[in-house]
Structure formats: C-alpha cells, structure tokens
Amino acid sequence: MNQQFKNKQILLTSRPVGLPTEQNFEFKEIPVANTQDGQVVVRTLYLSVDPYMRGRMSDAKSYIPPFQLNEVIAGGIVGEIVESKSDLYKVGDKVIGMLGWQLYNTVDAKTVTKIDESIAPVSAYLSVLGLTGLTAYFGLLDIGQPKEGETVVVSGAAGSVGMFVGQIAKIKGARVVGIAGTDAKCEYLKKELGIDAVINYKTAKNLGQALEEACPNGVDVYFDNVGGSISDAVMNLLNDYARIPLCGAISSYNSTDGDMGPRIQTRLIKTRSLIKGFVLSDYSARQSEGLQELGKWLTEGKLKYEETIVDGFDNVIEAFLQLFQGANLGKMLVKVSDSE
Amino acid sequence: MNQQFKNKQILLTSRPVGLPTEQNFEFKEIPVANTQDGQVVVRTLYLSVDPYMRGRMSDAKSYIPPFQLNEVIAGGIVGEIVESKSDLYKVGDKVIGMLGWQLYNTVDAKTVTKIDESIAPVSAYLSVLGLTGLTAYFGLLDIGQPKEGETVVVSGAAGSVGMFVGQIAKIKGARVVGIAGTDAKCEYLKKELGIDAVINYKTAKNLGQALEEACPNGVDVYFDNVGGSISDAVMNLLNDYARIPLCGAISSYNSTDGDMGPRIQTRLIKTRSLIKGFVLSDYSARQSEGLQELGKWLTEGKLKYEETIVDGFDNVIEAFLQLFQGANLGKMLVKVSDSE
C-alpha cells in the first residue's frame, strides 16, 4: 500500500575534502519501505541541517560514527505519521527523531517522539525545544556557569545555538557580548534579543581591540561555537577561572591545512581557566529538565527564536552548504512538505 | 647584633626577553635587616628554583604579580632560625617559606612554617612535601582523576612535579607513560619509579608514532608540564572524556614567536575532553590533606623523590637557567649553607 508514496533520499557518495560540494551527494528515487508491525511511516515536514554533520561526512574518529558511503544521511527531522502499524501513533500525529534525509522514513515507532503543537509550532522542536536549545542550555549552564554580572562572550551569536546562549545568559543576569558575521545579525542581536554588545568580526578593523572595548571587565565565560582566529582573540581576555564550553569549531571543520593558531596552554594556566568539549548526548539524563525550562521561558516570552527556512527537499544540500557561509540567522531548516 | 651576618641578595635588574641571562640579575651585598618584635632571622639552607618563576620575571598579567625591577626575587626556601624575637621559634628551628633569594631573611615569624626533620630531610620540604609534591597531588587527583586501568601520560615526567605525578598515578592503579628528554631520565623512570613506558622526545624519530605505540588504548589523562609540540602530539590520542590538568608550559615560557601550533578545539569537542589550568594556591584549603597523604606514601616507601642540587648561592642563576635545558632530575635546588 506504500505505493501511494514516492520516496526520494539523499546519499553521501564521496567524502568531502575541505568544503563539501554538491558532487559529494546523490539524490535517489526509491519506493517507500513497507511497514512491519510496530512501525510507522513518517512524512518529512522539516529537516535540520547542522554544522556538526560535516564531521560525520569524514571518516575520522568522533563522538558519533561517520556516515557510511552510499547510504542515506541522517539528521533531525520533524514529520507527520502517514501510516501506522503501532499503537503508539495514529495518522496525523507529529513526531521528531533522528531520521534519514528522505521524504518518507519507515521506522520503529519507538525511535520517534511525539511533539505537542500547543506549545510551539512543529519547527520549533528542531531549534528552541530541540537539539540546539538544549545544547545551549546545558553547555552554558553546566560548563559555563555564568553568574550575575559576569561577562559572557558567545561566538556564532546569531546562529542556531548561539542565539539561545545569549538569551539564557541574559536570563541569568550576565552581561552578554555577541560575535556574528553580518551587520543585520548584529542588529538583530542587539535590538531583538537585548544582547549588550555586538561585534561584526568580518568588518571589525581589529577584532582583539573590538573585543577589549566590548569587554572592559574581561571575559568570564566564552561559549565557543566557531574556533579559529575568533577564539584566539577571545583567549587574550580571559579572567581568572574563566569557563569555556566548547560547542563547535565551524571555522575548522573544512580546514585542510592543520588549523594552526597560537597555543592556548599558557593562557589557561595563567588564568586557571577550564575548557571542556561537550555534546548534547552527555546530558540525555537531564533532557526533560532542559525542555521544561526552555518551554517555560518560551511561553513567558523570555526566549525568542528565529529560523532561516529554505524551501524544498531538492535544496537540502545547498542549505547545508550555506551554513559555512554563515547565511543563516538562527536555525537553518529545510521545509520539505506541508502537513496534510 | 645582626652585624655578625653578612647578607647577599639577588635582584632582578631587567626583564628577560626570551631565555633569561645572567645580565638580567645582580648580586648585592647588604647588611642583614634588624629584627623587630615578632620577627626572626632565617638563614637560607636550600633555595628552590622553579620554571614558574620565569613568568614572574615578565610584566604580564598572571596569577601572581610580577617581580619588581631592582627588588629581591622571592621563592621557596628552607632555612634555619638564627635569631628570634618571637615566641613561635627558637634558634635552630627549621622553617619553610616564600622568602627572598638572599642569605638571610628578616621576616615576621608568622610568614614561615616549621618543618619536622623526623619525617624527611629539610630539602624534602621543597619537593615531595612541598610545592611540587602538592602540585602533582591536586592536579592529578582533582582534575585528572585517573581510574584503575586508565592510561595516564605525563610530560616532564622526570621533573620536579612530573616525577610525583607518575608515581601517584601508579599508586592509583593507572598505566603510566612518561615523556622525558634524556635516556638517563627515561631509565630512571622505568627502573626506579616503575613507570610502564617511557619516551625520550629528543631522540624519538616520530614522537606521534612513539606515543601511539606507548598508548595502545589511547590517553585518558594527560598531565601537561611542558606545552608545545609534545602536547600537540598527545592531543591526537585523547580518548573520550579525557582530562588534561595544565600545570606548566615550560616550552612556551621563553617563546618570542607567538607559540604557534595546531588548534586543539576540534579534538576537545570530538572527545568531549576537559582541559583546566591550575595553580597550587587553588587548593590551599586542602593542603594538610595533601601533605598527610604524601607523607604517608613517603614513609610507606611508595613514593620516591630525587633532587638535583647545585652548590652555592653564587650559582643560583645558573641553576635557574639550567631548568630550561632540562638539566635536572627531580627537583632542582641550590644548597646555600649548612645547618649550624
């Protein structure tokens, strides 16, 4: 009966060297897999493209296994149940899960989670009430531990994680300095999110000096989404006992030249600072706590979120590649189809 | 009455650029300061020269203020009370303190601490029962937290801190890999201290490969005393959730070229590892716990210590400079005078 649906999927066909290109991927039309007992068919509504996925396209050891060649790429997806052989879901339910980049996923019902449209629109479960909101929440509060009046610097401040880092730091009473790559993003951060000071790293004549002016009391927490020369500059301003949650290093993901920069050890010793890499799965036991807090702030109007939505499954790769040009304000999503 | 003692002191007369030279220092003969009520005169027996002091010779922000120009340099000293106007000490008592690099220090009695020669010789209070033993103890156990069967790598393994790091890690049941700069040091680590594997980084054809062979199960804890290219190589072998206590970066202290190397952020994210700079004073509240444990291991014969002793106050600067050539096995001390 699945013949009513035509499926299309995206395969990784070669491993990128440096920046990925369309040539590393292939679109393939196939029939939708038949459902077994306990399974559901999920039609993709929104699909999340994220910088961390670049890591999975390489064949290197990391916290999640690399994508396999000639297999479908997987990521965060919200979708709608269009067929169900499970008591858990009925047709029309909205769910979220780590699913394949395809129009339809036939999966065990237990691998997806139901979402509540009364709290927020479905796409929000791919950002503020999903991976990126939770990543900001745990990285900032567990590792960064900002205290009232402290200075928090966040790079990639208008990105899908950074946007929540700045707002949560403000909620906790910190002074927040955001670094972003366009004037429009900087303006958004200041006007819409109330970030205290913003720096456009692309137009700043001297990033170090701009940071120094924006952080007259030094830096207590640096939430690092980007790595590279931006992070080099922040390191010079660390206060004693600074905390640095390492969330991403997008500037290094496509590096093929060894990613050289000034070593940071001496600075960390002098300031007795802490750096810690983390991924959201480190906090899976506390996920409901995070979702509860984020949902509360959202309904109280304390937390805003923003989406950059690219339309159409055929544009998934382009949307993914745009991440590395910093094209997105907030979460970059692809709208694949409308709810029925 | 202090005219019976002739004092001599060492001043910092200019700030070193790169490696310090004898020209940055000056010896000066002066009378011993008269004692006021509550003060004592301490004759220097042993004087400690330490890599961290290089930092204080520069004018940069750090965890302790820089040495002032044309003032006496200060560091760890064990000495003997030769005159007392305090009830706390009588002539002949042995004490330890942060005192000036001079033959005699006239100081408030409260600024020094009595030492117990029945547990260990006086010089041991400048190493195993002093700053370096405690630094190893807290850095390794509080930040590194080695577990039984884990792999602990220590750089500067035959140095004044590293020597204790390796031994304490062994006491805790870890497999220990030591990196040092001479075959004699490596042999000492293996034969005398029971370190599981050793690498002479100066003669290793390929340090990365040597490390890989020495750490077949990766690296869980890296106690970093040296920074620079040695640390770069260890970063490639981190296991998930590795812990890196940053104790020193002797390879960078005299660097004038920006100390460039591969950035470590991506590796820390992929392995969700932690790096933390620390100094011993972070643990001052727990000092007696540390001394008790170290003293227990010492009397049980589980902890050995080694000293490289240079003779004579006139050779203090030379001894200090030798630290940067790695001339010392264990703690580098200068014997200034005999006990009376």
Side-chain angles (χ1 to χ4, degrees):
Chain A
M1 80 165 279
N2 279 329
Q3 304 321 313
Q4 60 175 305
F5 310 122
K6 272 194 188 150
N7 201 9
K8 198 195 265 190
Q9 57 185 198
I10 302 176
L11 311 177
L12 179 72
T13 50
S14 61
R15 302 208 177 276
V17 177
L19 205 63
T21 69
E22 308 259 357
Q23 277 66 53
N24 298 123
F25 308 93
E26 190 185 303
F27 285 77
K28 189 177 168 189
E29 296 196 9
I30 51 159
V32 172
N34 283 317
T35 44
Q36 313 289 325
D37 270 356
Q39 289 193 320
V40 292
V41 177
V42 182
R43 180 219 300 272
T44 299
L45 299 178
Y46 289 93
L47 174 157
S48 174
V49 292
D50 298 272
Y52 82 87
M53 306 182 93
R54 172 64 184 86
R56 298 195 69 182
M57 292 172 188
S58 296
D59 202 7
K61 189 182 161 190
S62 184
Y63 53 87
I64 32 174
F67 293 128
Q68 294 304 300
L69 283 184
N70 303 310
E71 292 197 5
V72 62
I73 289 171
I77 279 173
V78 289
E80 179 177 18
I81 304 288
V82 291
E83 187 180 317
S84 176
K85 288 194 179 165
S86 160
D87 297 339
L88 294 173
Y89 297 106
K90 58 179 193 300
V91 169
D93 283 349
K94 305 296 192 308
V95 295
I96 182 166
M98 289 297 283
L99 300 174
W101 275 6
Q102 47 193 349
L103 298 180
Y104 297 93
N105 279 277
T106 304
V107 294
D108 286 342
K110 286 176 185 163
T111 61
V112 293
T113 306
K114 194 167 177 175
I115 60 184
D116 181 355
E117 285 180 275
S118 74
I119 296 175
V122 292
S123 62
Y125 288 84
L126 289 174
S127 61
V128 61
L129 297 179
L131 298 186
T132 58
L134 288 168
T135 298
Y137 179 88
F138 288 114
L140 179 67
L141 298 185
D142 188 64
I143 301 171
Q145 301 186 17
K147 286 160 203 68
E148 194 157 338
E150 284 192 333
T151 299
V152 173
V153 173
V154 51
S155 55
S160 60
V161 173
M163 184 170 286
F164 301 123
V165 170
Q167 293 183 85
I168 298 171
K170 288 295 297 175
I171 290 171
K172 296 294 179 183
R175 183 169 179 282
V176 179
V177 177
I179 307 173
T182 69
D183 286 343
K185 289 179 181 177
C186 287
E187 179 137 331
Y188 173 83
L189 291 169
K190 251 195 132 149
K191 298 239 166 102
E192 296 296 321
L193 303 189
I195 300 306
D196 298 282
V198 292
I199 297 170
N200 180 341
Y201 74 91
K202 284 188 180 157
T203 58
K205 282 206 183 94
N206 180 328
L207 180 60
Q209 200 182 315
L211 271 164
E212 230 177 304
E213 285 165 21
C215 307
N217 300 319
V219 175
D220 300 295
V221 178
Y222 171 48
F223 194 103
D224 190 359
N225 285 307
V226 304
S229 59
I230 293 177
S231 297
D232 297 343
V234 180
M235 290 294 147
N236 292 326
L237 296 173
L238 297 184
N239 287 333
D240 284 356
Y241 302 105
R243 290 84 63 195
I244 304 175
L246 267 185
C247 178
I250 193 168
S251 74
S252 305
Y253 291 166
N254 296 308
S255 164
T256 51
D257 65 353
D259 190 27
M260 302 290 281
R263 293 196 185 91
I264 57 180
Q265 281 88 341
T266 304
R267 239 156 239 296
L268 295 176
I269 295 173
K270 284 192 177 175
T271 58
R272 289 152 291 176
S273 293
L274 173 150
I275 299 199
K276 180 155 183 7
F278 74 101
V279 290
L280 182 54
S281 58
D282 297 343
Y283 297 97
S284 47
R286 293 173 55 192
Q287 189 158 324
S288 57
E289 166 208 323
L291 285 174
Q292 210 160 16
E293 282 285 275
L294 292 166
K296 185 171 74 83
W297 291 329
L298 192 65
T299 50
E300 290 173 354
K302 288 183 184 163
L303 206 54
K304 297 181 184 177
Y305 67 100
E306 207 69 34
E307 296 163 340
T308 297
I309 295 181
V310 170
D311 206 50
F313 188 69
D314 291 344
N315 297 318
V316 166
I317 301 304
E318 198 191 318
F320 174 68
L321 296 180
Q322 280 181 12
L323 289 172
F324 301 99
Q325 269 81 58
N328 53 309
L329 176 66
K331 186 72 192 83
M332 179 76 105
L333 299 175
V334 178
K335 184 175 178 182
V336 174
S337 60
D338 284 310
S339 174
E340 299 246 302
Chain B
M1 78 163 284
N2 279 328
Q3 304 320 308
Q4 59 174 308
F5 309 122
K6 273 194 188 152
N7 200 7
K8 198 195 262 191
Q9 58 184 201
I10 302 175
L11 311 178
L12 179 71
T13 50
S14 61
R15 300 209 178 277
V17 177
L19 203 64
T21 69
E22 307 258 356
Q23 277 67 51
N24 299 122
F25 307 92
E26 190 184 303
F27 285 77
K28 188 177 168 191
E29 296 197 10
I30 50 157
V32 172
N34 284 318
T35 44
Q36 312 288 323
D37 271 355
Q39 288 193 321
V40 291
V41 177
V42 181
R43 179 221 300 271
T44 299
L45 299 178
Y46 289 92
L47 173 159
S48 174
V49 291
D50 297 273
Y52 81 87
M53 306 182 93
R54 173 63 183 85
R56 298 195 68 181
M57 292 172 189
S58 296
D59 203 6
K61 187 183 162 192
S62 184
Y63 53 87
I64 33 173
F67 293 126
Q68 295 304 302
L69 283 183
N70 302 312
E71 291 196 4
V72 63
I73 289 172
I77 280 174
V78 287
E80 179 177 16
I81 304 289
V82 291
E83 187 181 316
S84 176
K85 286 190 180 169
S86 159
D87 297 339
L88 293 173
Y89 296 106
K90 60 179 193 301
V91 169
D93 283 348
K94 305 299 190 309
V95 295
I96 182 166
M98 290 296 282
L99 300 174
W101 275 7
Q102 48 194 348
L103 299 180
Y104 296 93
N105 279 277
T106 302
V107 293
D108 286 342
K110 285 174 186 164
T111 61
V112 294
T113 306
K114 193 167 177 177
I115 61 184
D116 181 354
E117 284 179 276
S118 74
I119 296 176
V122 292
S123 62
Y125 289 85
L126 290 174
S127 62
V128 61
L129 298 178
L131 299 185
T132 59
L134 288 167
T135 298
Y137 179 88
F138 288 114
L140 179 67
L141 298 184
D142 188 66
I143 302 172
Q145 301 186 16
K147 286 161 202 67
E148 194 156 336
E150 285 191 332
T151 299
V152 174
V153 173
V154 51
S155 55
S160 60
V161 172
M163 184 170 288
F164 302 124
V165 170
Q167 293 182 82
I168 297 170
K170 289 295 295 175
I171 289 171
K172 296 294 179 182
R175 184 168 177 283
V176 179
V177 176
I179 307 173
T182 70
D183 287 341
K185 288 178 181 177
C186 287
E187 178 136 333
Y188 173 83
L189 290 169
K190 254 197 127 150
K191 299 241 165 102
E192 297 295 321
L193 302 189
I195 300 306
D196 298 283
V198 292
I199 296 170
N200 180 341
Y201 73 90
K202 284 190 182 157
T203 58
K205 282 206 184 95
N206 180 327
L207 180 61
Q209 199 182 315
L211 270 164
E212 230 176 303
E213 286 166 17
C215 306
N217 300 319
V219 175
D220 300 294
V221 178
Y222 172 45
F223 194 104
D224 191 358
N225 284 307
V226 303
S229 58
I230 293 177
S231 298
D232 297 342
V234 179
M235 290 294 148
N236 292 327
L237 297 173
L238 296 185
N239 287 334
D240 284 356
Y241 302 106
R243 290 84 65 194
I244 304 175
L246 268 185
C247 178
I250 192 167
S251 74
S252 306
Y253 292 165
N254 296 308
S255 164
T256 50
D257 65 355
D259 191 26
M260 301 290 280
R263 294 196 183 91
I264 57 179
Q265 280 89 340
T266 304
R267 237 154 239 298
L268 296 176
I269 294 173
K270 286 193 175 174
T271 58
R272 291 152 289 176
S273 293
L274 173 150
I275 299 200
K276 180 156 184 2
F278 74 101
V279 290
L280 182 55
S281 57
D282 297 341
Y283 297 97
S284 46
R286 293 173 56 192
Q287 190 159 326
S288 58
E289 166 208 322
L291 285 175
Q292 209 160 17
E293 282 286 274
L294 292 166
K296 183 171 76 84
W297 291 329
L298 192 65
T299 50
E300 289 172 355
K302 287 183 185 165
L303 207 54
K304 297 179 184 180
Y305 67 100
E306 208 69 33
E307 297 161 339
T308 297
I309 295 181
V310 170
D311 206 51
F313 188 69
D314 291 344
N315 297 318
V316 166
I317 301 304
E318 197 191 317
F320 174 67
L321 296 181
Q322 281 180 13
L323 289 171
F324 301 99
Q325 269 82 57
N328 53 309
L329 177 65
K331 187 72 191 82
M332 180 77 107
L333 299 175
V334 179
K335 183 172 179 184
V336 174
S337 60
D338 284 307
S339 172
E340 299 244 302

